[in-house]
């Protein structure tokens, strides 16, 4: 049932908008402290080498250099790791494992001196054979990235329910395809930055560009061997994250250790070049996928083998792999699933979470294959999706409990959009320009359960002028969470959004929070804020009840007033009530506190993929129209549409912004973006050569909200922003197929790939697909899977 | 990285600038390429000689013959804006606006773009790359990373302006250290060497270019291959400048497209070309003027067959190395496409 | 180190600089105008864009010594008499800001565009903004904000938007 809200659901501008527009918002790299030193990191130019000697003496003699540290100066803490201990040193010792791995750090009076000092550090390497390809890495006899990881296996997930192999034999149609996705950049414009200040009391104050400050809080304490309570993490404005700023990085550690050594504040801002060659990427994935259907399109069984390139370190890769496997169970009903995933170490940049966290890779494969199957079965792509769409009340074979679900509604909405667009689309204007329309659907989670602490919390302080201060441990990376959380507080308290001052992160006073990942903030922190606001309301209602001679439960908080329900005149202004509470008698301090996490959520079983991962799941369908220049192979995206079930949108404008940004980002992932490497070296570590979409690549994005009300979500809200990126690649690939008749099983589809494929002939490609499908059916009977199929 | 240390000099005249220059100095025009290369430590000149304060290098003026004289330090935006408001020069404006991004065109200059250093995937890299790979031929090393065992540098001349200006028969005026001036065709600025693409001494400055007034029936097309419509350097470019006889429009059926070419816009029929100048750019270490292509087109009526012939001729003239953002096979395959599109522009 | 005078945001500053310092670094580190952001330092992202004599320029590719005698305006200098520029208000109101790191450069570039062309088409806006990268918004609302800023300029509502204190 829908309710009328004042602060929920509208198009309220974000609370930090004007400060950002004014240029006043301070990001970490904008901050400086008196006496501050500047730090720089020395990085390995080799992908795999033993460190024989790191001689810092020459650097220390340079005027202006205050300290130099190497791995030997550290406690050799190993970071990262979910489901098993981490293996990433903040400064390398013994070995370096990718081009960009940090071997030393310098603090100096200015950046220039620090840069010059790096050149004076004498490092002797014993070069080792690098492993640069995950399949070569798994081969017997391959060099090991980590001695304790035989076969370079970082992590394995084996999810199975039903009996896929047996079920294939009952299917009318089985097809097997191989897909590949590229390593992708997060693409935030603000480079990583850290500012650390150590004081004599043993306290470290740290400002960072961190999505999840409490990751850094814990790791910093462990890496420096100081009590956690002595680590004070402050959060500046954050210039985008998309998953790439979750973890604590070497620059964060080095700034802190250098500050300890020099007793000076130390700031390290890495260059965008370094971000692009020495930090994180989205896991590239190789996906072998077999799906079986009945004639009517019913999806019966799925069997997948996924190899994900993890790069040099573990990071949070176990979760990435787990998500890749489990999201073959969503958003369609399937009774038989086997998903075997393997994350493999190579001597390249470490892979981590990125917008959609593993799910875009596998769903690209699964959605495209679904379209291929629909075509072979003579079904409409929307019909086959409607046929299999998961429904409210379903539980997937691995245990995802689907509460609210508007997937079918989004598909029906998409059908209308496709019909309208087909009607509007003119005939191809020139013979070499071909237009096409494609669709794809997605499901996503609203906060993944992690192995550790999972509760978000909020504190609300009421000021005597009737305004409130709100803090939580969730950071706003740009997605708008400060605004959404403030709206929730305002709604509960019956005040205006302007009355809520969202305070920044400061681990000294802000409650513990898992972090900002997996689309958890609105859903989980939002509930904590709601609870904290209700706590405030209850305290104030107690006071008001006395003043108004009414029962607390009969009071309504609305429009900055508190009054007896249905008797608006019997009340008083919110601010006056606050003052009364604070000034009367012994006086009250009104502090609201709330904490929340979904109950009945299972601890993730990373190895088997079983269990309910989230308290709610969002859904949606993406529609894309493209124009392919068949001569140059360039694809122009003409327009996109998203029909989206995010429950009750807290802020329609911000939800739109999420969907637009996620969608346009997906255009880059589909057509232009890939990290190019030679001999383990990232060759395109610049925004010139790593081609993200520009304003000229953007297109209109039609957004329709298919509102459900999620019983668990705050005011009925669920995830928005990550999920939609899951469906962009397959919708675009399907649109390209609609235009030119070729399926692309590897992204990005660069112009040269398109031209080559068109040159080979669409018909030949189709025949090959059909052959492979037939082969796969044969293979499925004898469980043969050794063949290496080719992909377009 | 920060810029390497240098002394900045701001001469007020061309002569002064030439006198200050030597092998350890660099001229700074718009800075859009030089400063990036310096931050990557591809260059570390001891002295940087800023040209922005030299009045003679600025401005756009008519020559006595109604041609155009453009100071080398005129920004790309200034020239594009001027040309777009003068119909006979407007097609030049379209070409300039395909260069880089609007922000970089505000800084980048005509002279700077013309004198752009060659680029290569294996050259335009930060120092960490060279720490392992070692210096390439262009940096004084012994190996070419792009083409194994090659003894010559395969870096690609990636300026956008040179092709169009050569096609327009532009000339360049060079000031020399001895205080002399020499004029030469823009085409003759280039050495064809990847390492030192420009035939200018370290103390010589490109002062201005002169572009003759095009004959009234001239048409011009610059076809640039790139992956995004902004920022990107060309992966290949075709410039075609020609006088065009269009068929009588009142002849019966003349404006009807031929049945074998669906879509009037796409057709490459109906025009006859004279004095065509065809230039390739971003296909090798220098722009390439192809007189044989002009000869092929001379007096011929444009049709599909001619487009094919031109495409084949151009394709034969280039040899790509795998050192840009797109593969050689693709770039080569695109040459006839660009050629056909340039011809199509002649017929519009 | 030489002492130069820079005209930034309608005020004159004497500042000691080295010849090889960029205008961006001097604006940020010496003068405290951190609204100009260092995104790539190579002229590829547009986050450091400032107005130099009315033209949008990436200050990471300008030497500080070259900027003497020119009128420099950073994002901090767009508001006049406590009133935000119409574009600043428009970016805020239509949701064209997410993480906000590209925002100063975007607004400055848009201001320069409207200075040349008070009524740009959508294509002209996209073209003019195509040297400024944004990963968050997908540009859709940025284009809308520039249109709204242009409309406000036409109706004379150029600087009647919300003041900063209102936000």
């Amino acid at each position: 049932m829908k309710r009328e809200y004042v602060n929920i659901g509208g198009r309220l501008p974000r609370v930090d908008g004007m400060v950002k527009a004014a240029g006043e918002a301070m990001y970490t790299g904008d901050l400086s402290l008196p006496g501050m030193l500047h730090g720089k990191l020395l990085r390995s130019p080799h992908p795999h080498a033993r460190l024989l000697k790191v001689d810092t003496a020459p650097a220390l003699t340079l005027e202006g250099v205050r300290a130099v540290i190497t791995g030997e100066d550290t406690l050799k803490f190993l970071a990262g790791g979910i489901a098993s201990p981490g293996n990433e040193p903040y400064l390398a010792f013994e070995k370096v494992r990718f081009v960009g791995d940090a071997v030393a750090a310098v603090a100096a009076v200015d950046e220039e001196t620090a840069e010059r000092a790096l050149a004076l550090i004498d490092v002797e390497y014993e070069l080792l054979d690098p492993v640069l390809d995950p399949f070569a890495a798994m081969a017997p006899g391959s060099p090991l990235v980590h001695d304790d990881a035989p076969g370079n296996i970082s992590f394995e997930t084996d999810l199975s329910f039903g009996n896929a192999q047996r079920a294939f034999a009952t299917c009318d149609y089985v097809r097997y395809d191989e897909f590949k996705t590229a390593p992708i950049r997060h693409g935030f414009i603000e480079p990583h930055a850290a500012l650390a200040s150590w004081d004599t009391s043993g306290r470290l104050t740290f400002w960072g560009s961190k999505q999840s400050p409490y990751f850094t809080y814990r790791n910093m304490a462990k890496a420096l061997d100081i009590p956690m309570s002595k680590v004070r993490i402050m959060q500046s404005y954050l210039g985008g994250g998309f998953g790439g700023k979750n973890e604590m990085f070497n620059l964060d550690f080095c700034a802190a250790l250098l500050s300890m050594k020099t007793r000076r504040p130390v700031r390290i801002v890495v260059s965008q070049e370094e971000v692009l060659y020495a930090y994180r990427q989205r896991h590239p994935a190789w996906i072998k996928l077999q799906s079986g259907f009945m004639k009517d399109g019913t999806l019966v069984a799925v069997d997948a083998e996924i190899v994900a390139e993890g790069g040099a370190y573990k990071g949070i890769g176990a979760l990435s792999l787990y998500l890749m496997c489990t999201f073959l169970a969503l958003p369609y009903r399937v009774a038989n699933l086997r998903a075997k995933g393997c994350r493999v170490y190579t001597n390249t940049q470490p892979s981590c979470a990125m917008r959609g966290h593993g799910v875009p890779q596998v769903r690209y494969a699964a959605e495209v294959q679904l379209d291929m199957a629909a075509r072979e079965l003579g079904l409409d792509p929307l019909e086959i999706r409607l046929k299999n769409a998961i429904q409210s009340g379903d539980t997937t074979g691995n245990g995802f409990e689907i509460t609210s679900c508007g997937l079918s509604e989004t598909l029906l909405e998409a059908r209308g959009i496709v019909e309208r667009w087909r009607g509007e689309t003119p005939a191809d204007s020139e013979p070499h320009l071909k237009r096409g329309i494609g669709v794809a659907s997605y499901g996503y989670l609203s906060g993944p359960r992690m192995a550790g602490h999972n509760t978000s919390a909020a504190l609300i302080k009421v000021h005597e002028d009737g305004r409130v201060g709100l803090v939580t441990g969730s950071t706003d990376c740009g997605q708008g969470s400060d605004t959404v959380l403030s709206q929730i507080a305002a709604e509960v308290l019956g005040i205006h959004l302007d009355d809520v001052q969202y305070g920044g992160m400061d681990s000294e006073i802000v409650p513990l929070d898992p972090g900002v990942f997996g689309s958890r903030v609105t859903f989980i922190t939002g509930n904590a804020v709601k609870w904290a606001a209700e706590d405030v309301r209850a305290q104030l209602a107690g006071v008001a009840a006395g003043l108004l001679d009414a029962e607390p439960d009969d009071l309504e908080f609305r429009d900055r007033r508190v009054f007896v329900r249905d008797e608006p005149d019997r009340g008083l202004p919110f601010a006056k009530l606050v003052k009364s509470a604070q000034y009367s008698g012994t006086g009250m301090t009104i502090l609201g506190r709330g904490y929340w996490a979904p109950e009945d959520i299972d601890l993730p079983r990373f190895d088997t993929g079983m269990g309910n991962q989230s308290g709610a799941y969002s859904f949606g369908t993406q529609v894309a129209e493209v124009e392919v220049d068949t001569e140059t192979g360039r694809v122009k995206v003409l327009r996109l549409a998203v029909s989206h079930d995010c429950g009750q949108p807290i802020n329609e404008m911000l939800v739109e912004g999420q969907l637009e940004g996620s969608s346009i980002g997906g255009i880059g992932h589909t057509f232009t973006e890939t990290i190019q490497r030679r001999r383990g070296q990232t060759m395109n570590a610049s925004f010139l050569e790593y081609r993200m979409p520009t304003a000229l690549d953007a297109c209109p994005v039609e957004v329709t909200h298919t509102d459900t009300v999620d019983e668990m979500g705050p005011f009925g809200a669920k995830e928005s922003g990550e999920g939609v990126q899951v469906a962009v690649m397959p919708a675009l690939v399907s649109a390209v197929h609609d235009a030119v008749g070729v399926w692309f099983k590897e992204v990005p589809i660069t112009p040269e790939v398109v031209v080559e494929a068109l040159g080979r002939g669409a018909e030949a490609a189709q025949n090959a697909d059909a052959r492979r499908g037939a082969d796969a059916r044969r293979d499925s009977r004898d469980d043969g899977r050794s063949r290496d199929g080719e992909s377009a | 990285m920060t810029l390497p240390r240098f002394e900045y000099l701001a001469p007020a005249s061309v002569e002064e600038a030439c006198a200050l220059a030597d092998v350890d100095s660099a001229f700074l025009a718009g800075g859009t390429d030089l400063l990036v290369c310096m931050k990557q430590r591809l260059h570390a000149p001891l002295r940087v000689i800023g040209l922005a304060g030299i009045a003679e290098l600025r401005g756009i003026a008519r020559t006595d013959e109604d041609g155009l004289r453009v100071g080398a330090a005129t920004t790309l935006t200034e020239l594009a804006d001027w040309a777009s408001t003068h119909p006979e020069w407007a097609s030049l404006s379209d070409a300039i606006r395909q260069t880089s991004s609007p922000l970089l065109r505000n800084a980048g200059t005509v002279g700077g773009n013309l004198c752009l250093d060659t680029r290569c995937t294996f050259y335009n890299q930060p120092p960490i790359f060279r720490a392992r790979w070692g210096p390439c031929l262009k940096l004084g090393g012994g190996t070419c990373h792009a083409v194994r065992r090659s003894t010559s540098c395969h870096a690609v001349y990636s300026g956008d302006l040179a092709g169009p200006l050569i096609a327009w028969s532009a000339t360049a005026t060079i000031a020399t250290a001895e205080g002399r001036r020499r004029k030469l065709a823009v085409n003759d600025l280039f050495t064809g060497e990847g390492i030192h693409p420009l035939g200018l001494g370290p103390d010589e400055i490109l002062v201005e270019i002169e572009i003759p007034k095009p004959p009234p029936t001239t048409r011009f097309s610059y076809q640039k291959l790139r992956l995004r419509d902004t920022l990107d350097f060309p992966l290949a470019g075709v410039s075609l400048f020609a006088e065009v006889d269009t068929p009588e429009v009142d002849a019966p059926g003349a404006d009807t497209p031929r049945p074998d070419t669906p879509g009037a816009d796409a057709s490459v029929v109906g025009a006859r070309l004279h004095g065509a100048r065809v230039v390739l750019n971003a296909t090798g270490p220098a722009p390439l003027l192809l007189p044989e292509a002009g000869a092929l087109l001379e007096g011929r009526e444009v049709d599909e067959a001619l487009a094919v012939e031109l495409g084949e001729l151009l394709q034969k003239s280039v040899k790509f190395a795998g050192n840009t953002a797109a593969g050689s096979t693709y770039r080569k395959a695109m040459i006839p496409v660009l050629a056909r599109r340039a011809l199509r522009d002649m017929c519009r | 180190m030489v002492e130069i005078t820079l005209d930034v945001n309608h005020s004159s500053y004497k500042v000691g600089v080295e010849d090889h310092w960029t205008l961006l670094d001097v604006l940020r580190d010496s003068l405290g105008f951190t609204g100009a952001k260092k995104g790539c330092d190579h002229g590829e992202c547009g986050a450091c864009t400032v107005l130099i004599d009315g033209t949008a320029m990436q200050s990471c590719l300008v030497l500080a010594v070259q900027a003497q005698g020119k009128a420099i305006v950073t994002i901090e200098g767009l508001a006049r008499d406590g009133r935000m520029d119409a574009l600043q208000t428009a970016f805020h109101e239509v949701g064209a800001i997410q993480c906000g790191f590209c925002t100063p450069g975007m607004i400055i570039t848009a201001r320069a565009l409207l200075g040349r062309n008070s009524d740009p088409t959508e294509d002209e806006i996209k073209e003019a903004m195509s040297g400024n990268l944004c990963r968050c918004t997908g540009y859709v609302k940025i284009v809308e904000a520039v249109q709204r800023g242009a409309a406000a300029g036409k109706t004379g509502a150029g600087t009647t938007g919300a003041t900063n204190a209102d936000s």
Side-chain angles (χ1 to χ4, degrees), chain A residues 171-434:
Chain A
C171 290
D172 296 327
Y173 175 71
V174 177
R175 67 172 299 133
Y176 170 79
D177 301 281
E178 299 185 0
F179 298 89
K180 181 177 182 302
T181 67
I184 295 286
R185 290 280 165 235
H186 299 85
F188 39 76
I189 315 293
E190 180 210 23
H192 299 300
L195 169 59
S197 179
W198 173 262
D199 71 26
T200 294
S201 76
R203 185 167 76 161
L204 178 78
T205 307
F206 177 88
W207 292 261
S209 179
K210 310 311 298 178
Q211 265 180 258
S212 298
Y214 278 105
F215 280 31
T216 300
Y217 173 81
R218 289 197 192 92
N219 276 9
M220 192 70 90
K222 287 182 202 157
L224 296 172
D225 192 25
I226 57 175
M228 274 191 235
S229 52
K230 288 287 191 185
V231 179
R232 182 181 188 190
I233 306 282
M234 311 283 280
Q235 184 62 47
S236 329
Y237 284 94
L238 192 62
F242 313 110
K245 291 179 179 171
N246 261 319
E247 298 161 80
M248 173 172 151
F249 292 132
N250 48 22
L251 73 146
D252 306 316
F253 171 78
C254 290
L257 185 56
L258 288 167
S259 179
M260 282 174 91
K261 297 251 181 226
T262 58
R263 297 296 166 109
R264 290 278 185 166
V266 175
R267 187 177 78 190
I268 301 180
V269 183
V270 305
S271 68
Q272 191 66 249
E273 228 165 33
E274 288 174 284
V275 172
L276 298 176
Y277 73 73
Y279 290 90
R280 301 302 203 233
Q281 65 178 10
R282 176 184 274 176
H283 286 80
W286 289 254
I287 299 154
K288 296 179 176 178
L289 189 64
Q290 176 161 305
S291 299
F293 300 84
M294 301 313 288
K295 272 202 192 75
D296 66 356
T298 304
L299 177 63
V300 176
V302 173
D303 187 336
E305 272 181 39
I306 301 161
V307 171
E309 184 177 2
Y313 295 109
K314 191 176 287 180
I316 57 169
L319 179 61
S320 317
L321 192 68
Y322 161 90
L323 289 168
M324 286 186 189
C325 291
T326 54
F327 271 76
L328 284 165
L330 209 68
Y332 306 112
R333 288 172 167 171
V334 61
N336 306 283
L337 171 66
R338 175 85 189 271
K340 278 179 70 172
C342 185
R343 183 179 191 268
V344 184
Y345 291 123
T346 56
N347 291 111
T348 41
Q349 286 168 268
S351 304
C352 78
M354 177 181 158
R355 208 166 196 170
H357 200 174
V359 184
Q361 294 97 310
V362 289
R363 291 314 308 175
Y364 150 66
E367 289 287 320
V368 169
Q369 193 182 54
L370 188 65
D371 270 11
M372 296 166 122
R375 189 161 289 261
E376 292 293 317
L377 292 166
L379 298 169
D380 180 88
L382 285 162
E383 294 312 317
I384 200 169
R385 287 177 169 80
L386 276 164
K387 176 100 204 157
N388 294 295
I390 207 147
Q391 304 292 331
S392 191
D394 283 359
T395 298
T396 65
N398 62 319
F400 288 178
E401 290 170 24
I402 309 305
T403 50
S404 61
C405 176
L407 177 59
S408 294
E409 288 86 339
T410 70
L411 280 160
L412 293 171
E413 186 78 43
R415 181 152 70 188
I417 292 166
V418 171
E419 278 167 14
R420 174 160 55 82
W421 285 9
R422 294 251 185 237
E424 288 168 5
T425 297
D428 299 327
S429 54
E430 297 192 35
H432 67 285
L433 299 176
K434 302 286 184 201

Side-chain angles (χ1 to χ4, degrees), chain A residues 14 17-18 20-21 24 27 29-30 112 185-187 240 272-273 477-478 656-658 660-661 673 687 693 698, chain C residues 20 28 35 37 39 42 44 75 84 88 92-94 97-101 126 135-139 141 164 167:
Chain A
R14 51 190 302 144
M18 280 317 273
K20 287 175 173 174
E24 293 165 351
Y27 300 76
D30 300 333
E112 229 179 296
R185 290 280 165 235
H186 299 85
Q272 191 66 249
E273 228 165 33
C477 335
E656 262 173 34
Q658 285 301 296
E660 289 164 358
E673 292 182 38
F687 284 146
Chain C
H20 64 290
R28 289 175 55 80
K37 300 299 179 201
H42 285 189
E44 295 159 356
I75 188 73
M84 302 301 280
Q88 291 174 305
H92 171 61
E93 287 175 352
V94 307
I97 300 169
Q98 288 191 27
C99 86
F101 200 79
K126 284 184 171 182
R135 188 64 148 179
C136 298
T137 65
Y139 308 99
K141 295 196 189 309
N164 190 28
S167 67

